[in-house]
Amino acid sequence: MNREPVMTTDLLDRVRAFVHTELMDKASYFDALPEQPTIESVRLHEAGLANWWIPARYGGRGVSLEDGVDIVSELAYGDAGFAFGSFLPILGTTMLQLYGEESLAGPLLRKLARDGGVLGILGSEEEAGSELGRTATVFARSGDDLVVTGDKYFSTNSDAAEALLVLARSADDDGDFAVIAVPRDTPGVEIVKRWDVIGVRGSATYQVRLRGCVVPAGNRLRGNGLRNLEIGLNASRILIAATAIGIARRIRDLSMEYAAGKRVKGVPLTDNAVFAGKLGQIEMLIDVMRNQCRAAAAEFDRLMAAPDPAAVMYRAGTLRSALAAKMYCGQAGWQVATIGSEMFGGLGYTHDHPIGKLVRDMRYVGIVEGGDDVIRDLLYTRYVVPAGKRR
Amino acid sequence: MNREPVMTTDLLDRVRAFVHTELMDKASYFDALPEQPTIESVRLHEAGLANWWIPARYGGRGVSLEDGVDIVSELAYGDAGFAFGSFLPILGTTMLQLYGEESLAGPLLRKLARDGGVLGILGSEEEAGSELGRTATVFARSGDDLVVTGDKYFSTNSDAAEALLVLARSADDDGDFAVIAVPRDTPGVEIVKRWDVIGVRGSATYQVRLRGCVVPAGNRLRGNGLRNLEIGLNASRILIAATAIGIARRIRDLSMEYAAGKRVKGVPLTDNAVFAGKLGQIEMLIDVMRNQCRAAAAEFDRLMAAPDPAAVMYRAGTLRSALAAKMYCGQAGWQVATIGSEMFGGLGYTHDHPIGKLVRDMRYVGIVEGGDDVIRDLLYTRYVVPAGKRR
Amino acid sequence: MNREPVMTTDLLDRVRAFVHTELMDKASYFDALPEQPTIESVRLHEAGLANWWIPARYGGRGVSLEDGVDIVSELAYGDAGFAFGSFLPILGTTMLQLYGEESLAGPLLRKLARDGGVLGILGSEEEAGSELGRTATVFARSGDDLVVTGDKYFSTNSDAAEALLVLARSADDDGDFAVIAVPRDTPGVEIVKRWDVIGVRGSATYQVRLRGCVVPAGNRLRGNGLRNLEIGLNASRILIAATAIGIARRIRDLSMEYAAGKRVKGVPLTDNAVFAGKLGQIEMLIDVMRNQCRAAAAEFDRLMAAPDPAAVMYRAGTLRSALAAKMYCGQAGWQVATIGSEMFGGLGYTHDHPIGKLVRDMRYVGIVEGGDDVIRDLLYTRYVVPAGKRR
Amino acid sequence: MNREPVMTTDLLDRVRAFVHTELMDKASYFDALPEQPTIESVRLHEAGLANWWIPARYGGRGVSLEDGVDIVSELAYGDAGFAFGSFLPILGTTMLQLYGEESLAGPLLRKLARDGGVLGILGSEEEAGSELGRTATVFARSGDDLVVTGDKYFSTNSDAAEALLVLARSADDDGDFAVIAVPRDTPGVEIVKRWDVIGVRGSATYQVRLRGCVVPAGNRLRGNGLRNLEIGLNASRILIAATAIGIARRIRDLSMEYAAGKRVKGVPLTDNAVFAGKLGQIEMLIDVMRNQCRAAAAEFDRLMAAPDPAAVMYRAGTLRSALAAKMYCGQAGWQVATIGSEMFGGLGYTHDHPIGKLVRDMRYVGIVEGGDDVIRDLLYTRYVVPAGKRR
């Protein structure tokens, strides 16, 4: 019952050292749209930290998702965009690990563990937006192969990815959705453009076109693609939420730095009661965000540790705690960002101060992988309407 | 690492059965200021549930604080005032258990475990408000005895208590504060009045006068009284926070009941997107409140399980997680109460519907044992200003 | 262009004197459900203030709605329930004045001006809720008479009213709604019960049954009843909004009284920066509420001063500014009430302090005559969807 | 009493035509830091709209501040930065007109009316921040001249200004503050840098150094410089607030455009109840912002129309209504911006959509010319503490 809630301090220290050396105070560099993979991604791998969650049986470090929350918080303290690009492959590796044929998943996961690198997830489309059930990308059987065609809207890491995990609908059966692994170098895969996003610019997100991409039938993951994706999203949503922790911690620390050198009404700003109240509120929000993320991650870890995690997770689908973490951290993070954006006076309204970037980065948490309306609807439909699931 | 986060389902089921039988739908009864101890308190003891947290070595059930969160959530689902009166003795038992002489603590704790019953905590004063350092109640040494005199403002359970744990300042040394156990029947103890509170009326809170109350010197707890109290408050603040979970769950379930029988714009209210959004938001808040309370309680349980919990807890003092739980649940609970208070139209503005009572009950969470300004100040001073304590 | 925004100071001074003498500090009296008309209503009439808005041509004082905002703010400063009961007849007199036959409206308005007294408006029903288009009360033609039958849910002032203005649907034509004046003593009018409301208890609200109530056909107001009601609601919604100003001003002044006698951290609470910040926020909200109410009232006054106000107002229907005033003051008022409910510590959670009553009273503003969801929907449908009406 | 609240429609139509032709859909152009004065500023003057508020006696158009609210709302609908740069000279012209010697004010105001052009206001300093009483820039008497030396932090329009109005403290008397007009081409005036701001980039803000700038003594405005500035800020704060109206209206209209082409759950987004609720809330906020700005502006206009406006305004100092307008529109505007920033899904997080710019622009309203903490403190000190000023 009583467990120590911290991972090997050693690993977290290495993450912090990496952040300190490679990520801090590079706002304008990351804002200037670096090529992917960035040199920092390479360094992350050299530090033995890339794709830290891949299980030991694939040669990975096998860090639990609960500990991953702290790692992401540290990375996002340095740069949220870099953090996002670094952990997002977990969305794909989770699906592969649970629902991919060993012949597909094994080599891919081993490669990601050994060489670093990323996966791209091709879910969203222009028309469908968040409604994945309206996916228009199709796949068709052709002998032992599948042929995939469609247009995908927002997809992070795709250009540099080993493989793209594409959500598509069967050309023959409107209700049959599949997640299909398409190697990046498959003929017919075309990067249409890189999106010029307003924040998290330490990552790269693309619009992608697929035209008659042929892959072996074994590249389809087992089960319904919508469900596969829900399950992968459990992991990535929790880590997106954890991004907000890191950004909020950075805002807190920048506030304390600023206050140390500032006097208001004749006393140091650190002695000002209104300032103290704001920082007290931020500290509370940070603690609650962390505990929600850790609790959601612990639930995910428990399901993954079950004797048959693929079946258990497939039954569970999208987890209440993961939805709550994503939505809560989006809201609490925005509260912190709002306080922060007013904290530094006129200076905070210039590019001479990092707060503007932190506010833009924070905005992402509430938007990516389901805005609040979408998450509220999922929570209501899955966990409030069925009275037996309420708790 | 992976633990199952629920206690023996059996115990929680018994709590739920008790709530169902004894507490539900008695709003007007509890609102009418029942005498203490209420018949429901007696029944709670008969059900073997009174003072559920007292350690087995004192004959108690020894339920962890983490599991206590769920118990309190269930009790508060029935009646928050009753829940409050039932768990509040933990503030005293925690102090007794850690800092009381065995000759004092042993018999008292064993009695509370065996016979039920309550303790009163006499901290707040009219002038001092939340600033316990301004306590004006004094104690003086007189041979082997201590003599305690003062006036205490808000004290729950005092009239029916076995003993009163009184915060007092030394008559000889302004900086020496003590918590002193004063048996309820000590000459000089006078209940001035019962406060006519606006909510949580299933509990009873008193103004108490102490005039020359003589107790043995061994009735003083070890250490500084302000610190003693801080440590007891760790437990009670977490359970106060848990009260908000129960009230919020009740509001959620009442909303679903109401929506089941209501049509808006030609469709059932349960199919209305705005309603769904509100319930989705509430469900998120409930999940986050629960996880914060459980995390804070787990931290408390870990410290209590240390080889020398008295010393460990004394060093820790007021816990960040407990402060955050109290403040967060006060804020999140008020958000739920606000949504709830608008949910039931005109009917919700009458005593024919329980929502008015739930809103009044919820208000307490943000007020008792430190309003938000006090908590923010504590978080800032203890956990933000010392850079090494930030996390 | 530049006008002085205050009415004859003299009149407002008389209102203030009345409030001071008759309404202040009677929370428990009003909470105890006084009979209607209360002695205070009689005194309001004796002071020449009852139904202050009735035009001079009917023997009234003819105070503009814009000035009425300040009168209501003053009355609500004393008691919001009393204020509500006092101004609510304006909902009926507005409809009568614009759409009633002179033979109906003249005598009634003259009586209300001369003798004081009230009107009841019977709009809401149990099933229909805020959706007046679902009204189930019916009227049928019978020779020169109309026969009205139905059940009305919430209706303030009905028991003591001169007449009840009943919204009903034609028995012959589903789309034909009418507002019909039914004298209170008409056979078939039955007061089912007085609602036991949680606030604004200085007014009295009833459930009313109408069984075969026969009135002359000329008692029907001209035009569609839904539209008639919308127009009357313009006036009453603005004054409901103004109620929030008075309650907020009271909370501000109580806070300053409290702070004058309270010290925190060694300095008077009035010098505390966090306290100052709260009061500064409240002062801002009060100013904005007042200006919104006055602007909405000025628009109403302008339309009423048009050559053909009945036609002009009928075309305008529900006014954006009135909807915005009601919704805004409900939200801003609740923000003030929330701050206030945390301001007075434990004392503020008892009936020894008026804040609890003020919070309950404030809650009403956001609920009565359309909750926020209803108002938002009206604003959207009437003023956002038609692009030409945006401004 | 009943006045028509709109100015000559003709003028507002010309503003709208200008906005449509010159400002719309130039986000990336304005973001790219155009030189000042921009070609758009020149066009504004050609359209006869530059410095629209300068009184007729100086050859200006003499538009009231109340009507100026609508003009600024229209300009900000096109580009908030351009609007800001265009109206900000009012801060200086108001001071000049009321407190400048005719020999100073007359020629300057006539030039601004005839030729367009701007004034710069040099108030803020790095150390002092918002606390103008800590101003370190000094002036000293030297024969018939004044010599001004200091460093000013944020000053909009300074590079292109006819004259700089500099807040300075007497070298001889710590309590004597003055506003002194320093022609832009005075030796010793140096533009240190243009700030790289995160929003309102259609305006230009500078850091300015003054080294021994010599001007005639008559260039000092009459009265205390802190008071002079307060009075000028009344006008500019109201128009800054009005900026938020324009940005919010733009967000509303972009939302409706977006919704027209988007389907969710099988129906057009315009029929979605959650969407409707958001737009209804925005519409309410727009109406309240406008009415607050107009009411504050009307108060300003009334004082300016008094027989001795300089004395009347000097006594009034900073106006409650202007403070409330600035703070309210900052908060309400941010609420709209927050809703807007979540409205457009992933696309809204890219530079392909203008919402990101609108959010950045909106942020300025709450920061410039006094953040909320400063404004709350002013409201408290000036209008709550003096009981006689409460209303």
Side-chain angles (χ1 to χ4, degrees):
Chain A
M1 208 87 206
N2 295 299
R3 82 224 133 73
E4 184 50 38
V6 288
M7 85 188 90
T8 336
T9 306
D10 178 51
L11 177 61
L12 205 54
D13 281 347
R14 283 167 59 192
V15 175
R16 286 191 190 113
F18 172 83
V19 169
H20 187 75
T21 313
E22 302 292 344
L23 302 185
M24 293 295 287
D25 301 321
K26 290 174 125 170
S28 46
Y29 162 73
F30 283 122
D31 262 0
L33 294 173
E35 280 311 298
Q36 288 289 108
T38 58
I39 183 67
E40 289 76 18
S41 307
V42 175
R43 295 271 164 74
L44 187 74
H45 178 56
E46 288 169 2
L49 295 169
N51 301 319
W52 60 81
W53 59 86
I54 293 180
R57 68 179 180 277
Y58 299 109
R61 189 175 279 280
V63 177
S64 71
L65 193 64
E66 193 173 3
D67 287 342
V69 166
D70 289 341
I71 293 177
V72 168
S73 166
E74 292 298 334
L75 291 175
Y77 188 92
D79 184 75
F82 180 80
F84 182 68
S86 301
F87 72 69
L88 199 57
I90 200 173
L91 203 177
T93 63
T94 300
M95 293 193 290
L96 276 175
Q97 184 181 332
L98 292 173
Y99 306 109
E101 299 301 327
E102 182 54 30
S103 60
L104 172 75
L108 254 174
L109 293 171
R110 263 184 289 273
K111 185 165 195 329
L112 291 171
R114 190 183 62 235
D115 302 339
V118 291
L119 295 173
I121 315 307
L122 274 61
S124 87
E125 300 184 1
E126 183 168 7
E127 277 305 300
S130 304
E131 294 182 275
L132 297 174
R134 291 171 57 200
T135 292
T137 296
V138 291
F139 68 93
R141 188 87 191 199
S142 166
D144 286 347
D145 291 329
L146 298 175
V147 186
V148 184
T149 292
D151 291 275
K152 292 293 184 174
Y153 216 36
F154 293 105
S155 171
T156 299
N157 286 333
S158 286
D159 193 15
E162 296 297 322
L164 308 171
L165 296 176
V166 183
L167 177 69
R169 179 199 293 265
S170 165
D172 304 317
D173 173 0
D174 247 29
D176 182 21
F177 293 88
V179 169
I180 299 164
V182 176
R184 167 69 183 87
D185 55 5
T186 305
V189 170
E190 183 196 348
I191 301 294
V192 178
K193 71 165 174 180
R194 179 170 174 185
W195 288 98
D196 187 8
V197 284
I198 67 171
V200 294
R201 293 172 68 97
S203 62
T205 297
Y206 303 90
Q207 187 170 351
V208 182
R209 182 173 298 141
L210 303 153
R211 288 293 177 271
C213 301
V214 179
V215 298
N219 278 24
R220 173 183 177 157
L221 304 192
R222 286 184 298 273
N224 186 296
L226 297 178
R227 198 67 163 186
N228 295 150
L229 209 56
E230 274 192 7
I231 288 159
L233 286 166
N234 282 333
S236 58
R237 280 184 177 141
I238 291 167
L239 295 185
I240 286 163
T243 307
I245 307 171
I247 305 172
R249 291 169 54 230
R250 187 77 196 284
I251 292 174
R252 174 194 62 192
D253 293 353
L254 284 168
S255 299
M256 292 303 290
E257 271 176 42
Y258 172 77
K262 172 98 185 161
R263 298 181 72 84
V264 169
K265 294 196 168 185
V267 297
L269 184 54
T270 46
D271 292 350
N272 179 283
V274 171
F275 176 80
K278 289 179 186 177
L279 271 287
Q281 178 75 14
I282 289 175
E283 186 67 11
M284 178 275 276
L285 294 170
I286 290 171
D287 200 58
V288 177
M289 287 194 280
R290 178 186 285 114
N291 284 321
Q292 177 64 21
C293 287
R294 290 187 68 93
E299 183 176 5
F300 180 91
D301 288 338
R302 265 197 312 279
L303 297 179
M304 292 295 273
D308 184 356
V312 166
M313 197 66 99
Y314 202 84
R315 273 197 302 276
T318 193
L319 295 175
R320 164 173 25 209
S321 60
L323 294 171
K326 222 291 284 186
M327 182 157 77
Y328 176 68
C329 290
Q331 294 179 8
W334 192 239
Q335 193 182 333
V336 175
T338 295
I339 297 171
S341 69
E342 296 173 323
M343 182 72 81
F344 306 99
L347 190 67
Y349 199 71
T350 70
H351 286 109
D352 296 16
H353 193 281
I355 185 65
K357 171 188 182 288
L358 295 169
V359 172
R360 287 182 283 121
D361 286 355
M362 190 69 98
R363 185 64 295 195
Y364 203 49
V365 179
I367 290 175
V368 71
E369 295 193 356
D372 281 14
D373 295 331
V374 171
I375 305 289
R376 284 190 195 104
D377 193 60
L378 276 168
L379 280 168
Y380 177 71
T381 313
R382 303 287 177 92
Y383 291 103
V384 180
V385 170
K389 286 208 163 177
R390 293 183 211 153
R391 62 183 184 198
Chain B
M1 206 85 206
N2 294 300
R3 82 225 132 76
E4 183 50 38
V6 290
M7 86 188 88
T8 337
T9 306
D10 178 50
L11 178 61
L12 205 53
D13 280 348
R14 283 166 59 192
V15 175
R16 284 189 192 116
F18 172 83
V19 169
H20 188 74
T21 313
E22 302 291 345
L23 303 184
M24 293 296 286
D25 302 321
K26 290 174 126 174
S28 46
Y29 162 74
F30 283 121
D31 263 359
L33 293 174
E35 281 311 299
Q36 291 288 108
T38 57
I39 182 67
E40 289 77 17
S41 308
V42 176
R43 295 270 165 76
L44 187 73
H45 178 55
E46 288 169 1
L49 296 168
N51 300 321
W52 60 80
W53 59 86
I54 293 180
R57 66 178 180 280
Y58 300 109
R61 188 175 279 280
V63 177
S64 71
L65 194 65
E66 192 173 2
D67 288 342
V69 166
D70 289 342
I71 293 178
V72 168
S73 166
E74 292 297 333
L75 291 175
Y77 188 92
D79 185 75
F82 180 80
F84 182 67
S86 301
F87 72 68
L88 199 56
I90 200 172
L91 202 176
T93 63
T94 300
M95 293 194 289
L96 277 174
Q97 184 182 332
L98 291 174
Y99 306 109
E101 300 300 330
E102 181 55 29
S103 59
L104 172 74
L108 254 175
L109 293 172
R110 264 184 288 273
K111 185 165 194 329
L112 290 171
R114 191 185 62 236
D115 302 338
V118 291
L119 295 172
I121 315 308
L122 274 61
S124 87
E125 299 184 2
E126 183 169 6
E127 276 306 300
S130 305
E131 294 184 276
L132 296 174
R134 292 171 57 201
T135 293
T137 296
V138 291
F139 69 93
R141 188 87 191 196
S142 166
D144 287 347
D145 290 330
L146 299 174
V147 186
V148 185
T149 291
D151 291 276
K152 292 293 185 176
Y153 216 36
F154 292 105
S155 172
T156 299
N157 285 333
S158 285
D159 194 16
E162 295 298 322
L164 308 171
L165 296 177
V166 183
L167 177 69
R169 179 199 294 266
S170 165
D172 304 318
D173 174 359
D174 247 31
D176 183 19
F177 293 87
V179 169
I180 299 164
V182 177
R184 168 67 184 87
D185 55 5
T186 306
V189 170
E190 182 197 346
I191 300 294
V192 178
K193 71 166 175 181
R194 177 169 174 186
W195 288 97
D196 187 10
V197 284
I198 66 171
V200 293
R201 293 174 67 99
S203 61
T205 296
Y206 303 91
Q207 188 170 351
V208 182
R209 181 174 298 141
L210 302 153
R211 288 291 176 271
C213 301
V214 179
V215 299
N219 278 23
R220 173 183 177 157
L221 304 193
R222 286 184 298 272
N224 187 295
L226 297 177
R227 197 67 162 185
N228 296 150
L229 210 57
E230 273 192 8
I231 288 159
L233 286 166
N234 282 332
S236 58
R237 281 182 177 140
I238 292 167
L239 295 185
I240 286 163
T243 307
I245 307 171
I247 305 173
R249 290 169 54 230
R250 188 77 197 285
I251 291 174
R252 175 195 61 192
D253 292 354
L254 284 168
S255 299
M256 292 303 290
E257 272 176 43
Y258 172 76
K262 173 95 183 163
R263 298 180 72 84
V264 169
K265 293 197 169 186
V267 297
L269 183 55
T270 46
D271 291 352
N272 179 285
V274 171
F275 176 81
K278 290 179 185 176
L279 271 287
Q281 178 75 14
I282 289 175
E283 186 67 11
M284 179 275 277
L285 294 169
I286 290 171
D287 200 58
V288 177
M289 287 195 279
R290 178 186 285 115
N291 284 321
Q292 178 64 20
C293 288
R294 290 188 69 93
E299 183 176 5
F300 180 91
D301 289 337
R302 265 195 313 277
L303 296 178
M304 292 296 273
D308 185 355
V312 166
M313 197 66 99
Y314 201 83
R315 272 197 303 277
T318 192
L319 296 176
R320 165 173 25 209
S321 60
L323 294 171
K326 222 292 284 186
M327 181 156 78
Y328 177 68
C329 290
Q331 294 178 9
W334 192 240
Q335 194 182 331
V336 175
T338 295
I339 297 171
S341 69
E342 296 173 324
M343 182 71 81
F344 306 99
L347 190 67
Y349 200 70
T350 71
H351 287 110
D352 297 17
H353 193 280
I355 184 66
K357 172 190 182 288
L358 295 168
V359 173
R360 287 183 283 120
D361 286 354
M362 189 69 96
R363 185 65 296 195
Y364 202 50
V365 179
I367 290 174
V368 71
E369 296 194 355
D372 281 14
D373 294 332
V374 171
I375 305 290
R376 284 191 195 103
D377 193 60
L378 277 168
L379 281 168
Y380 178 70
T381 314
R382 304 286 178 92
Y383 292 103
V384 180
V385 171
K389 286 208 163 178
R390 293 182 212 152
R391 65 184 182 198
Chain C
M1 208 86 203
N2 294 298
R3 85 223 128 79
E4 183 51 36
V6 289
M7 85 189 88
T8 335
T9 307
D10 178 53
L11 178 61
L12 206 54
D13 280 347
R14 283 166 59 192
V15 174
R16 285 192 190 111
F18 172 83
V19 168
H20 188 73
T21 312
E22 303 292 344
L23 303 185
M24 292 295 287
D25 300 321
K26 291 175 127 169
S28 47
Y29 161 74
F30 283 122
D31 263 359
L33 293 174
E35 280 311 299
Q36 289 288 106
T38 58
I39 183 66
E40 289 76 17
S41 307
V42 175
R43 294 269 164 75
L44 187 73
H45 177 56
E46 288 169 2
L49 295 168
N51 301 320
W52 60 80
W53 58 87
I54 293 180
R57 67 179 181 278
Y58 299 109
R61 188 175 278 282
V63 177
S64 71
L65 194 65
E66 193 173 4
D67 287 341
V69 166
D70 289 341
I71 293 177
V72 168
S73 166
E74 293 297 333
L75 291 175
Y77 188 92
D79 185 74
F82 180 80
F84 181 67
S86 301
F87 73 67
L88 199 57
I90 201 174
L91 167 46
T93 63
T94 300
M95 292 193 290
L96 276 176
Q97 185 182 331
L98 291 174
Y99 306 109
E101 300 299 329
E102 182 55 31
S103 58
L104 172 75
L108 254 174
L109 292 172
R110 265 185 286 273
K111 184 163 196 331
L112 291 171
R114 190 185 61 237
D115 302 338
V118 290
L119 294 173
I121 315 310
L122 274 62
S124 88
E125 300 184 3
E126 184 169 6
E127 277 306 301
S130 305
E131 294 184 274
L132 296 175
R134 291 171 58 201
T135 293
T137 296
V138 291
F139 69 93
R141 187 89 191 196
S142 166
D144 287 346
D145 292 330
L146 299 174
V147 187
V148 185
T149 291
D151 291 275
K152 292 292 183 174
Y153 217 36
F154 292 105
S155 172
T156 298
N157 286 332
S158 286
D159 195 13
E162 295 297 322
L164 308 172
L165 296 177
V166 182
L167 178 68
R169 179 199 294 268
S170 164
D172 303 318
D173 174 0
D174 247 29
D176 182 20
F177 292 88
V179 169
I180 299 165
V182 177
R184 168 68 182 86
D185 54 5
T186 306
V189 170
E190 184 195 347
I191 301 294
V192 177
K193 71 165 174 180
R194 177 168 174 187
W195 288 97
D196 187 9
V197 284
I198 67 171
V200 294
R201 293 173 68 97
S203 61
T205 297
Y206 303 90
Q207 187 170 351
V208 182
R209 181 174 298 141
L210 302 154
R211 287 293 177 268
C213 301
V214 179
V215 299
N219 278 24
R220 174 184 176 156
L221 304 192
R222 285 184 298 273
N224 186 297
L226 297 178
R227 198 65 163 188
N228 297 149
L229 209 57
E230 274 193 7
I231 288 159
L233 286 166
N234 282 333
S236 58
R237 279 182 178 141
I238 291 167
L239 295 184
I240 286 162
T243 307
I245 307 170
I247 305 172
R249 290 169 52 230
R250 188 77 197 283
I251 292 173
R252 174 195 62 193
D253 293 353
L254 284 168
S255 299
M256 292 304 290
E257 271 176 42
Y258 173 77
K262 175 94 184 163
R263 298 181 72 84
V264 169
K265 292 195 167 186
V267 297
L269 184 53
T270 45
D271 292 351
N272 179 285
V274 171
F275 176 81
K278 289 179 185 175
L279 271 288
Q281 178 75 15
I282 289 175
E283 186 68 11
M284 178 275 276
L285 294 170
I286 290 171
D287 200 58
V288 178
M289 286 194 280
R290 178 186 286 115
N291 284 320
Q292 177 64 22
C293 287
R294 289 188 69 93
E299 183 176 5
F300 181 90
D301 288 337
R302 265 196 312 278
L303 297 179
M304 291 296 271
D308 185 357
V312 166
M313 197 67 98
Y314 202 84
R315 272 197 302 277
T318 193
L319 296 175
R320 166 175 22 211
S321 60
L323 294 170
K326 222 292 283 187
M327 181 156 79
Y328 177 68
C329 290
Q331 294 179 8
W334 193 238
Q335 193 181 332
V336 175
T338 295
I339 297 171
S341 69
E342 295 172 325
M343 183 72 80
F344 307 98
L347 190 67
Y349 200 69
T350 70
H351 286 110
D352 297 17
H353 193 281
I355 185 66
K357 172 190 181 286
L358 294 169
V359 172
R360 286 184 282 119
D361 285 355
M362 190 69 98
R363 184 65 295 193
Y364 202 48
V365 179
I367 290 175
V368 69
E369 296 194 354
D372 281 14
D373 294 333
V374 171
I375 305 289
R376 283 190 197 102
D377 193 60
L378 276 169
L379 280 168
Y380 178 69
T381 313
R382 302 285 178 93
Y383 291 103
V384 179
V385 170
K389 286 208 163 178
R390 293 182 211 152
R391 62 184 183 198
Chain D
M1 207 88 205
N2 293 299
R3 83 225 133 73
E4 183 50 37
V6 289
M7 84 188 91
T8 335
T9 306
D10 177 52
L11 178 60
L12 206 53
D13 281 348
R14 282 166 59 192
V15 176
R16 284 190 192 115
F18 172 82
V19 169
H20 188 74
T21 313
E22 302 291 343
L23 304 184
M24 293 295 287
D25 302 320
K26 289 174 127 174
S28 47
Y29 162 73
F30 283 121
D31 263 359
L33 292 174
E35 280 311 299
Q36 290 290 106
T38 57
I39 182 66
E40 290 76 18
S41 307
V42 175
R43 295 271 164 74
L44 187 72
H45 177 55
E46 289 169 1
L49 295 169
N51 301 320
W52 60 82
W53 58 87
I54 293 181
R57 67 179 180 279
Y58 299 109
R61 188 175 281 281
V63 177
S64 72
L65 194 64
E66 193 173 3
D67 288 341
V69 166
D70 289 342
I71 293 177
V72 169
S73 166
E74 292 297 334
L75 291 175
Y77 188 92
D79 185 74
F82 180 80
F84 182 68
S86 301
F87 73 68
L88 199 56
I90 200 173
L91 167 45
T93 63
T94 300
M95 293 194 290
L96 276 176
Q97 183 183 334
L98 291 175
Y99 306 109
E101 300 300 328
E102 182 55 29
S103 60
L104 172 75
L108 255 175
L109 293 171
R110 264 184 288 273
K111 185 166 194 330
L112 291 171
R114 190 184 61 234
D115 302 339
V118 291
L119 294 173
I121 316 306
L122 273 60
S124 87
E125 299 184 2
E126 182 168 7
E127 277 307 300
S130 305
E131 294 184 276
L132 296 175
R134 291 172 58 201
T135 292
T137 296
V138 291
F139 69 92
R141 188 87 191 197
S142 167
D144 287 346
D145 291 330
L146 299 174
V147 186
V148 185
T149 290
D151 291 276
K152 293 293 183 175
Y153 217 35
F154 292 104
S155 173
T156 298
N157 285 333
S158 286
D159 195 14
E162 296 298 322
L164 308 172
L165 296 177
V166 182
L167 178 68
R169 179 199 294 266
S170 165
D172 304 317
D173 174 359
D174 248 29
D176 182 20
F177 293 88
V179 168
I180 298 164
V182 177
R184 168 68 183 88
D185 54 6
T186 306
V189 170
E190 184 196 345
I191 300 295
V192 177
K193 72 164 173 181
R194 177 168 175 186
W195 288 97
D196 187 9
V197 284
I198 67 171
V200 294
R201 293 173 68 99
S203 61
T205 297
Y206 303 91
Q207 187 170 351
V208 181
R209 181 174 299 143
L210 303 153
R211 287 294 177 269
C213 301
V214 179
V215 299
N219 277 24
R220 175 184 175 156
L221 305 193
R222 287 183 298 272
N224 187 296
L226 297 177
R227 197 67 162 186
N228 296 150
L229 210 56
E230 273 192 7
I231 288 159
L233 286 165
N234 282 333
S236 58
R237 281 183 177 139
I238 291 167
L239 294 185
I240 286 163
T243 307
I245 306 171
I247 305 172
R249 291 168 53 230
R250 188 76 198 282
I251 292 174
R252 173 195 63 192
D253 293 353
L254 284 168
S255 299
M256 292 302 290
E257 271 176 42
Y258 173 75
K262 174 96 182 161
R263 297 180 73 83
V264 169
K265 292 196 169 186
V267 297
L269 184 53
T270 46
D271 292 350
N272 179 283
V274 170
F275 176 80
K278 289 179 185 177
L279 270 287
Q281 178 75 14
I282 289 175
E283 186 67 12
M284 178 275 277
L285 294 169
I286 290 171
D287 200 58
V288 177
M289 287 195 279
R290 178 185 286 117
N291 283 321
Q292 177 64 21
C293 287
R294 290 188 67 93
E299 184 176 3
F300 180 91
D301 288 337
R302 266 196 312 277
L303 297 178
M304 292 295 272
D308 185 356
V312 165
M313 196 67 98
Y314 202 84
R315 274 197 302 278
T318 193
L319 296 175
R320 165 172 25 208
S321 59
L323 294 171
K326 222 292 282 187
M327 181 156 78
Y328 176 68
C329 290
Q331 294 179 8
W334 193 239
Q335 193 181 332
V336 175
T338 296
I339 297 171
S341 69
E342 295 172 325
M343 182 72 81
F344 307 98
L347 189 66
Y349 199 70
T350 70
H351 286 110
D352 297 17
H353 194 280
I355 184 66
K357 170 189 182 288
L358 295 169
V359 172
R360 287 183 282 119
D361 286 354
M362 189 69 97
R363 184 65 296 195
Y364 201 49
V365 180
I367 289 175
V368 70
E369 295 195 355
D372 282 13
D373 293 333
V374 171
I375 305 289
R376 283 190 196 102
D377 193 59
L378 277 168
L379 281 168
Y380 178 70
T381 314
R382 304 285 177 93
Y383 291 102
V384 180
V385 170
K389 286 209 165 177
R390 293 181 210 152
R391 63 183 182 197

